Amino acid sequence: MSTFETIPSVTRDTRYVLTLGCPDTTGIVARISTFLADVGGWIVEAAYHSDADSGWFFTRQAVRADSVSLSLDELRARFAAEVAAELGPETEWRLTSSAEPKDIVLLVSKEGHCLHDIVGRVATGELNARIAAVIGNHEDLRDFTERLDIPFHHVPFPGPGEDKSAAFARVAELTDALNPDAVVLARFMQVLPADLCAAWAGRAINIHHSFLPSFVGARPYHQAFARGVKLIGATCHYVTADLDAGPIIEQDVARVDHADAAADMVLRGRDIEKVVLARGLRWHLENRVLVHGRKTVVFS
Amino acid sequence: MSTFETIPSVTRDTRYVLTLGCPDTTGIVARISTFLADVGGWIVEAAYHSDADSGWFFTRQAVRADSVSLSLDELRARFAAEVAAELGPETEWRLTSSAEPKDIVLLVSKEGHCLHDIVGRVATGELNARIAAVIGNHEDLRDFTERLDIPFHHVPFPGPGEDKSAAFARVAELTDALNPDAVVLARFMQVLPADLCAAWAGRAINIHHSFLPSFVGARPYHQAFARGVKLIGATCHYVTADLDAGPIIEQDVARVDHADAAADMVLRGRDIEKVVLARGLRWHLENRVLVHGRKTVVFS
Amino acid sequence: MSTFETIPSVTRDTRYVLTLGCPDTTGIVARISTFLADVGGWIVEAAYHSDADSGWFFTRQAVRADSVSLSLDELRARFAAEVAAELGPETEWRLTSSAEPKDIVLLVSKEGHCLHDIVGRVATGELNARIAAVIGNHEDLRDFTERLDIPFHHVPFPGPGEDKSAAFARVAELTDALNPDAVVLARFMQVLPADLCAAWAGRAINIHHSFLPSFVGARPYHQAFARGVKLIGATCHYVTADLDAGPIIEQDVARVDHADAAADMVLRGRDIEKVVLARGLRWHLENRVLVHGRKTVVFS
Amino acid sequence: MSTFETIPSVTRDTRYVLTLGCPDTTGIVARISTFLADVGGWIVEAAYHSDADSGWFFTRQAVRADSVSLSLDELRARFAAEVAAELGPETEWRLTSSAEPKDIVLLVSKEGHCLHDIVGRVATGELNARIAAVIGNHEDLRDFTERLDIPFHHVPFPGPGEDKSAAFARVAELTDALNPDAVVLARFMQVLPADLCAAWAGRAINIHHSFLPSFVGARPYHQAFARGVKLIGATCHYVTADLDAGPIIEQDVARVDHADAAADMVLRGRDIEKVVLARGLRWHLENRVLVHGRKTVVFS
């Protein structure tokens, strides 16, 4: 756990955050908002989405915690009994408090730009989170990490084609011991095996350095250079067993031209990777991302 | 009224659209959504905003017209009695149907790019609107306009420093006879007098060719060139008696560099002017813009 | 040929424009710039690119025509003898005058937004071009086109799976009679056969409604919706026999989110299609695009 | 000087970089490129700009150092004698090597995001630079800075309205002892006095958290919120005695809407501040920025 001195420049009131998805029907909003009004909830954020394609309804609502006289557990119990029960068995919902910082484990390789960026955002309080550990398959980022009193674990990986299961088991052991809210593949460069994708479903977040679905797999900037595209991109997505095909949380692009060699694209792409990962990670930690099938609803 | 043959590529179900602003308090969403559920309304769009700064609450809701068994007038009467009355005397609300095309009057000068663009968007059905008339202080755009069977009126304006009140009176007479939903200053290049700003409050929309509040007034691209900015912009706003200071609906920018002369900026800026005006106008016509004081809430 | 009255708002001095590509070596710039200085050329634009990957050198230079005492033909003859001959047999170069408007043939289907947009840009003089003809496989855009005195030809196409060679032969006949500088597939929705791709190589320009190489082929917005991407795009490229794989001239993107249905993406995408095609077409007409293999050098 | 272990992921060949500005006339490019060809220079980057407004010519050329048989000093001497002398006494030029890392001094206050960002870019080798010292008017950023073995100096500043000359003298003394290539006001929040602006002319770089010339001075995000703009911005510029009016190096913007309070804009704006400052600083350190009057030519 990082103990280096940070002076957060962001302070926010504590909020109770409800996220919910269920089959769409008339009157859901009325039911939820009447419930929140009954418990005195002062709504500070409210977002809704009716998905005509899937027939599902999604909402995220944030109320000021100090406007509700119930504890979080009491609120959960009443919501379950008075609202969720009526919305049917397929309904998925969560009620959480924004007060507690979330725990993150970062998986890294040699490239440090995403690590540097997330460390900075934790230090300024932009991310209400703790970096519980950094796990690297190389030693390159140990010095920077440990100087900031963040635990660094080196797990060496065998080369291409060799059996990596022992290395992944060690990564899983170190990670699961910390029970993190997010496992971030911050340019990790190793493909997670299917069992870890399943175990960390909805919590493992990857930053891929292309505008997916273009340029899946290795060396996407070199693929982009060879194709002669005029924009490069980055994609933050949940990790699934299908390589680079998980639900997309966020994407962005930057302009390149004929004067940019592949190495220039690598450099320029870093700035997109950093902001796309940072947005995706923050939205995940603030419960702004609802996954439905292969897609996401993001109440940003 | 344009009679040239258009084949709209956009079709949408008819919707009843509610927009409302009132002092914020607990339970407003519950009241409105319970009302809509009671009349059977199938909500297809719902957006809310609680403005902590002004203490006002804003919402826009769209329901499928065929889900409600009442006529629009009946719905209005019931909403007035059952909801609006309870929300207090400051409440401002509208209930409209999306079925009827809106009427637009365009005020133009010599530059045709915004006129061309809006004509195209009407032709494709992107704007559910009719161009009731084009009024120009020069003849330059008559030929293009009349070829498409849109009425064109030439109202000559006196030069700088001379009394323009008679010319503006003629513009007002021609415009008011058509009772348009929007009066669009599509690069009109004349400053509306205060009485017209008042008469058309909330309906007169201007496109200013800078990123306001930078470069108010004349020749903003030349001002931008002189200052050496690296982005140029355009701003769509409601017209008020304060020059270029009305509530902003939309803005956007484009990159320029040292190689761009002021004339290049003029050319490049046209593409931003067109899309910024088009977005602002469409949001206005679809009742997506709520004005509060000097600012707008845009449920885009 | 369009005869409707246009009042161009853009005037530019006539320029002689040199474009050149050759194997890279030391001293090319010195040779070319010394030649231009010798003939008195006042360079108003100069751009260079050394492509480390292919080992080729590219340049585009524009000089004021009135600074050179030679005719264009004389200038060509001297450049061929004094410069090009020394640069080797692989050298490709052109010397053209910006004075003459270029001829465009537009191939269209039912969607009019790209046609409307290009017509507007010709009318304002932004494109120094004439629309020599519009050829449609449907009648939908005849009325708009003919009102502006632009010839419209309807060439009916058989349905999917049937032999389209007669229809394409008619399109080719109509087009080739006009010997256009650009054949623009302005949302034509028909795949050009290989022989026409070859005949129009470097002159046939397509606008594809996705950020290539993502979503090749039919209904790209629906593919984008199904994948859940957070940005949609458009790509302007030269047409080759490989579907949607020709050299890319320009691309751009727009943000979408979970609330956008495929139909919303279609609407929003139009604005990107229009500007991306307009930029690509203008650069092509101004000899700013040099093709090398599968890629382009764009001196924009 | 920072001694923490960094493993640059960027390696580049050494280049000799020529930057030059002079009154425009025919034949300058020929003279320079002939000179470079004569000394065997392999040009890897070349950019030119003829400014029609000011009548000046600007160029930046980078040649591979290993292609030139002369030392840097010899090259300078020959360029002075053979080229610069002929271009007249107003000519300003520099010839530098890209091999040597540049020295930076950062002036900071309480907000760490720009400091974090620059530290990361130095660590990855994106900036070929050393952070010679960080000087803060508060202690907040000492811990982070010193953990990375970068010297931190605290110089307390008196409150508004009091005489700050002693504090600025101390800042100048600490800074000038290091003779840095760039003095970066990384959200320093203090207005440099005129004498320091003069002493550091062309070396002092500020990041202002608005899209200048909008919102000069204090609390620009709060000014932006009050005006209701739809985009916020950041501007990197050279510091001059006119507050926030120095030559602009780079700008960018991000979208906001009615749901963003001023505090949200502050958060969102940080990402723009970081990338805008990073681009501007890198271009400055790589001699890509030529100042002429109140404007810059940026060969990015």
Side-chain angles (χ1 to χ4, degrees):
Chain A
M1 202 77 36
S2 169
T3 57
F4 90 91
E5 180 191 0
T6 65
I7 299 172
S9 55
V10 180
T11 56
R12 292 194 187 280
D13 299 324
T14 299
R15 298 172 171 193
Y16 293 152
V17 177
L18 168 72
T19 51
L20 179 147
C22 66
D24 200 1
T25 182
T26 305
I28 304 175
V29 177
R31 211 160 304 165
I32 295 172
S33 54
T34 300
F35 171 82
L36 291 176
D38 286 350
V39 298
W42 180 343
I43 299 171
V44 285
E45 280 191 81
Y48 302 87
H49 174 54
S50 285
D51 196 83
D53 192 56
S54 64
W56 272 61
F57 170 87
F58 304 89
T59 189
R60 178 183 185 275
Q61 316 233 4
V63 299
R64 290 180 51 159
D66 58 11
S67 69
V68 179
S69 51
L70 305 173
S71 74
L72 187 58
D73 281 340
E74 290 167 334
L75 194 65
R76 282 188 185 124
R78 283 194 51 181
F79 188 84
E82 298 176 23
V83 183
E86 291 184 48
L87 296 178
E90 289 183 279
T91 301
E92 295 174 2
W93 63 277
R94 299 179 65 187
L95 246 169
T96 58
S97 165
S98 70
E100 276 306 292
K102 304 296 175 67
D103 286 318
I104 305 171
V105 168
L106 294 174
L107 309 188
V108 302
S109 184
K110 293 181 173 182
E111 299 253 16
H113 56 283
C114 287
L115 169 66
H116 300 147
D117 188 67
I118 292 173
V119 163
R121 290 174 197 271
V122 169
T124 61
E126 178 186 326
L127 292 176
N128 185 18
R130 291 174 293 228
I131 302 176
V134 175
I135 302 173
N137 65 337
H138 290 91
E139 289 278 13
D140 302 48
L141 299 174
R142 177 188 292 278
D143 179 59
F144 178 85
T145 305
E146 292 189 342
R147 281 173 179 268
L148 302 174
D149 284 343
I150 302 169
F152 182 92
H153 305 285
H154 177 216
V155 179
F157 267 67
E162 293 182 64
D163 181 6
K164 301 184 176 183
S165 56
F168 273 117
R170 178 69 183 138
V171 169
E173 181 184 33
L174 288 164
T175 300
D176 291 339
L178 296 161
N179 190 30
D181 298 282
V183 182
V184 180
L185 285 69
R187 300 298 310 274
F188 182 45
M189 313 302 282
Q190 299 284 340
V191 179
L192 280 201
D195 62 324
L196 274 186
C197 293
W200 295 340
R203 285 190 297 152
I205 293 174
N206 185 45
I207 179 72
H208 184 73
H209 39 314
S210 85
F211 183 73
L212 291 174
S214 289
F215 312 131
V216 166
R219 294 171 69 81
Y221 290 123
H222 293 78
Q223 294 182 53
F225 176 78
R227 180 61 186 92
V229 292
K230 300 302 184 186
L231 298 166
I232 54 171
T235 303
C236 177
H237 64 93
Y238 287 112
V239 178
T240 62
D242 285 339
L243 181 63
D244 298 330
I248 294 171
I249 306 172
E250 174 63 341
Q251 303 186 286
D252 216 334
V253 296
R255 194 157 281 276
V256 292
D257 68 20
H258 57 263
D260 291 296
D264 298 309
M265 293 183 182
V266 169
L267 260 187
R268 189 160 307 192
R270 285 180 185 168
D271 277 342
I272 330 172
E273 295 167 32
K274 289 190 289 188
V275 297
V276 165
L277 175 56
R279 283 185 214 137
L281 177 58
R282 183 165 63 79
W283 294 338
H284 170 79
L285 295 176
E286 296 178 359
N287 291 328
R288 295 179 180 279
V289 189
L290 286 74
V291 176
H292 191 73
R294 291 181 59 205
K295 297 168 67 172
T296 61
V297 173
V298 180
F299 293 124
S300 61
Chain B
M1 204 76 37
S2 170
T3 60
F4 90 92
E5 181 190 0
T6 64
I7 300 172
S9 55
V10 181
T11 56
R12 292 195 188 278
D13 299 324
T14 298
R15 298 172 171 193
Y16 293 153
V17 177
L18 168 72
T19 50
L20 181 146
C22 66
D24 200 2
T25 181
T26 306
I28 304 176
V29 177
R31 213 161 301 165
I32 295 173
S33 55
T34 300
F35 171 83
L36 291 176
D38 286 349
V39 299
W42 180 343
I43 299 172
V44 286
E45 280 191 80
Y48 302 87
H49 173 55
S50 285
D51 196 81
D53 192 56
S54 65
W56 272 61
F57 170 87
F58 304 90
T59 188
R60 179 184 184 274
Q61 316 234 3
V63 299
R64 290 181 50 159
D66 59 11
S67 69
V68 178
S69 51
L70 306 173
S71 74
L72 187 58
D73 281 339
E74 290 168 332
L75 194 65
R76 282 188 185 124
R78 283 195 52 182
F79 187 83
E82 299 177 23
V83 182
E86 291 185 49
L87 296 179
E90 288 183 279
T91 302
E92 294 174 3
W93 63 277
R94 297 179 66 188
L95 245 169
T96 59
S97 165
S98 70
E100 277 306 294
K102 305 292 176 68
D103 287 317
I104 304 171
V105 169
L106 294 174
L107 309 189
V108 303
S109 184
K110 293 181 172 181
E111 300 253 15
H113 55 283
C114 288
L115 169 66
H116 300 146
D117 188 68
I118 292 173
V119 163
R121 291 174 197 270
V122 169
T124 61
E126 177 186 326
L127 291 177
N128 185 20
R130 290 174 296 229
I131 302 176
V134 174
I135 302 172
N137 64 337
H138 290 91
E139 289 278 12
D140 302 48
L141 300 174
R142 177 189 292 277
D143 180 59
F144 178 85
T145 305
E146 293 190 339
R147 281 173 179 268
L148 302 173
D149 283 344
I150 302 168
F152 182 92
H153 305 287
H154 178 216
V155 179
F157 267 65
E162 293 183 64
D163 181 6
K164 301 183 176 181
S165 55
F168 274 116
R170 178 68 183 140
V171 169
E173 182 185 33
L174 288 165
T175 301
D176 291 339
L178 297 162
N179 190 29
D181 298 281
V183 182
V184 180
L185 284 70
R187 299 297 312 272
F188 182 44
M189 312 303 283
Q190 298 284 340
V191 179
L192 281 201
D195 62 323
L196 275 186
C197 293
W200 295 341
R203 283 190 299 152
I205 294 173
N206 185 45
I207 180 71
H208 184 74
H209 38 313
S210 85
F211 182 68
L212 290 174
S214 289
F215 311 132
V216 166
R219 295 171 68 80
Y221 291 125
H222 293 78
Q223 294 181 52
F225 176 78
R227 180 61 186 93
V229 293
K230 301 301 184 186
L231 300 165
I232 55 171
T235 303
C236 177
H237 64 93
Y238 287 112
V239 178
T240 61
D242 284 340
L243 180 64
D244 298 331
I248 294 171
I249 307 173
E250 174 64 340
Q251 303 185 288
D252 216 335
V253 296
R255 193 158 282 277
V256 292
D257 68 20
H258 57 262
D260 291 296
D264 299 309
M265 293 183 183
V266 168
L267 260 187
R268 191 161 305 192
R270 286 180 184 167
D271 278 343
I272 331 172
E273 295 167 34
K274 289 190 290 188
V275 298
V276 165
L277 175 56
R279 283 184 213 136
L281 177 57
R282 182 165 63 80
W283 295 338
H284 170 79
L285 295 176
E286 295 178 358
N287 291 328
R288 295 180 179 278
V289 188
L290 286 73
V291 176
H292 192 73
R294 291 181 60 203
K295 298 168 69 172
T296 62
V297 173
V298 180
F299 293 124
S300 62
Chain C
M1 203 76 36
S2 170
T3 59
F4 90 92
E5 179 190 0
T6 64
I7 299 171
S9 56
V10 181
T11 55
R12 292 195 187 280
D13 298 325
T14 298
R15 299 171 172 195
Y16 293 152
V17 176
L18 168 72
T19 51
L20 180 147
C22 67
D24 201 3
T25 181
T26 306
I28 304 175
V29 178
R31 211 159 305 166
I32 295 172
S33 54
T34 300
F35 171 83
L36 290 176
D38 286 350
V39 299
W42 179 344
I43 299 172
V44 286
E45 280 190 80
Y48 303 86
H49 172 56
S50 285
D51 195 82
D53 193 56
S54 66
W56 272 62
F57 170 86
F58 304 90
T59 188
R60 178 184 184 276
Q61 316 234 3
V63 298
R64 290 180 53 159
D66 59 11
S67 70
V68 179
S69 52
L70 306 173
S71 74
L72 186 58
D73 281 340
E74 290 167 334
L75 194 64
R76 281 187 186 126
R78 283 194 50 181
F79 187 83
E82 298 176 24
V83 182
E86 292 184 49
L87 297 179
E90 288 183 280
T91 302
E92 295 174 3
W93 63 277
R94 298 180 65 189
L95 244 168
T96 59
S97 165
S98 70
E100 276 306 291
K102 304 294 176 71
D103 286 317
I104 304 172
V105 169
L106 293 175
L107 309 188
V108 302
S109 184
K110 293 181 173 182
E111 300 254 16
H113 57 283
C114 287
L115 168 66
H116 299 147
D117 188 68
I118 292 173
V119 163
R121 291 175 197 271
V122 170
T124 60
E126 177 186 326
L127 291 177
N128 185 20
R130 292 173 293 228
I131 302 176
V134 174
I135 302 172
N137 65 337
H138 290 91
E139 289 278 12
D140 302 49
L141 300 174
R142 177 189 293 277
D143 180 58
F144 177 86
T145 305
E146 292 188 341
R147 281 174 179 268
L148 302 174
D149 284 343
I150 302 168
F152 182 92
H153 306 285
H154 177 215
V155 178
F157 267 67
E162 293 183 64
D163 181 5
K164 301 184 176 181
S165 56
F168 274 117
R170 178 68 183 140
V171 169
E173 181 184 34
L174 288 164
T175 301
D176 291 340
L178 296 162
N179 191 29
D181 298 281
V183 182
V184 180
L185 285 69
R187 299 299 310 274
F188 182 46
M189 313 303 282
Q190 299 284 339
V191 179
L192 280 201
D195 62 325
L196 274 187
C197 293
W200 295 341
R203 283 190 299 152
I205 293 173
N206 185 44
I207 179 71
H208 184 73
H209 38 313
S210 85
F211 182 72
L212 291 173
S214 289
F215 311 133
V216 166
R219 295 169 69 80
Y221 291 123
H222 293 78
Q223 295 182 53
F225 176 78
R227 180 60 186 91
V229 293
K230 301 301 184 187
L231 299 166
I232 54 171
T235 303
C236 177
H237 64 93
Y238 287 111
V239 179
T240 62
D242 285 339
L243 182 63
D244 298 329
I248 294 170
I249 306 172
E250 174 63 340
Q251 304 185 287
D252 216 334
V253 295
R255 192 157 283 275
V256 293
D257 67 21
H258 57 264
D260 291 296
D264 298 309
M265 293 183 182
V266 169
L267 262 187
R268 191 161 306 193
R270 286 180 185 169
D271 277 342
I272 330 172
E273 295 167 33
K274 289 190 290 189
V275 297
V276 165
L277 175 55
R279 283 184 214 137
L281 177 57
R282 183 165 63 79
W283 295 338
H284 170 78
L285 295 176
E286 294 178 359
N287 291 327
R288 295 180 178 280
V289 188
L290 286 74
V291 177
H292 191 73
R294 292 182 57 206
K295 297 168 69 172
T296 61
V297 172
V298 180
F299 293 123
S300 61
Chain D
M1 202 76 37
S2 169
T3 58
F4 91 92
E5 179 189 2
T6 64
I7 301 172
S9 56
V10 180
T11 55
R12 291 195 187 280
D13 298 324
T14 298
R15 298 171 171 194
Y16 293 152
V17 177
L18 168 72
T19 51
L20 179 146
C22 66
D24 201 3
T25 181
T26 305
I28 304 175
V29 177
R31 211 160 305 165
I32 295 173
S33 54
T34 301
F35 171 82
L36 291 176
D38 286 349
V39 298
W42 180 342
I43 299 171
V44 286
E45 279 191 82
Y48 303 87
H49 173 55
S50 286
D51 196 81
D53 193 56
S54 65
W56 272 61
F57 169 87
F58 304 90
T59 189
R60 179 184 184 276
Q61 316 234 4
V63 298
R64 291 181 51 160
D66 59 11
S67 69
V68 178
S69 51
L70 306 174
S71 74
L72 187 58
D73 280 341
E74 291 168 332
L75 194 64
R76 281 187 187 125
R78 281 194 53 183
F79 187 83
E82 299 176 23
V83 183
E86 290 185 49
L87 297 178
E90 289 183 278
T91 301
E92 295 173 3
W93 63 278
R94 298 179 64 186
L95 245 169
T96 59
S97 165
S98 69
E100 275 306 294
K102 303 294 175 71
D103 287 317
I104 304 172
V105 168
L106 294 174
L107 308 189
V108 302
S109 184
K110 293 181 172 182
E111 300 254 15
H113 55 284
C114 288
L115 168 66
H116 301 146
D117 188 68
I118 292 173
V119 163
R121 291 174 197 271
V122 169
T124 61
E126 178 186 325
L127 291 178
N128 185 19
R130 292 175 293 229
I131 302 177
V134 175
I135 303 173
N137 65 337
H138 290 92
E139 290 277 14
D140 302 49
L141 299 174
R142 177 188 293 278
D143 180 59
F144 178 85
T145 305
E146 292 189 341
R147 280 174 180 268
L148 302 174
D149 285 343
I150 302 169
F152 182 92
H153 305 285
H154 177 215
V155 178
F157 267 66
E162 294 182 64
D163 181 6
K164 302 184 176 183
S165 55
F168 274 117
R170 178 70 182 137
V171 169
E173 180 186 35
L174 289 164
T175 301
D176 291 340
L178 297 162
N179 190 29
D181 298 282
V183 182
V184 180
L185 284 69
R187 300 298 310 275
F188 182 45
M189 314 303 282
Q190 299 284 341
V191 179
L192 281 201
D195 62 324
L196 275 186
C197 293
W200 295 341
R203 284 190 298 152
I205 293 173
N206 185 44
I207 179 72
H208 183 74
H209 39 314
S210 85
F211 182 74
L212 290 174
S214 289
F215 311 132
V216 166
R219 295 170 67 81
Y221 290 124
H222 294 77
Q223 295 182 52
F225 175 78
R227 180 62 186 92
V229 292
K230 300 302 184 185
L231 299 165
I232 54 171
T235 303
C236 177
H237 63 92
Y238 288 110
V239 179
T240 62
D242 283 341
L243 181 62
D244 298 331
I248 294 172
I249 306 172
E250 174 65 338
Q251 303 187 287
D252 217 335
V253 296
R255 193 158 281 277
V256 293
D257 68 20
H258 57 264
D260 291 296
D264 299 309
M265 293 183 183
V266 168
L267 261 187
R268 191 160 306 190
R270 286 180 185 169
D271 278 343
I272 331 172
E273 295 166 34
K274 289 190 290 189
V275 297
V276 166
L277 175 56
R279 283 185 214 137
L281 177 57
R282 182 164 63 79
W283 295 338
H284 170 78
L285 295 177
E286 295 178 358
N287 291 327
R288 295 180 179 280
V289 189
L290 286 74
V291 177
H292 191 73
R294 292 181 59 204
K295 298 168 68 172
T296 61
V297 172
V298 180
F299 294 123
S300 63

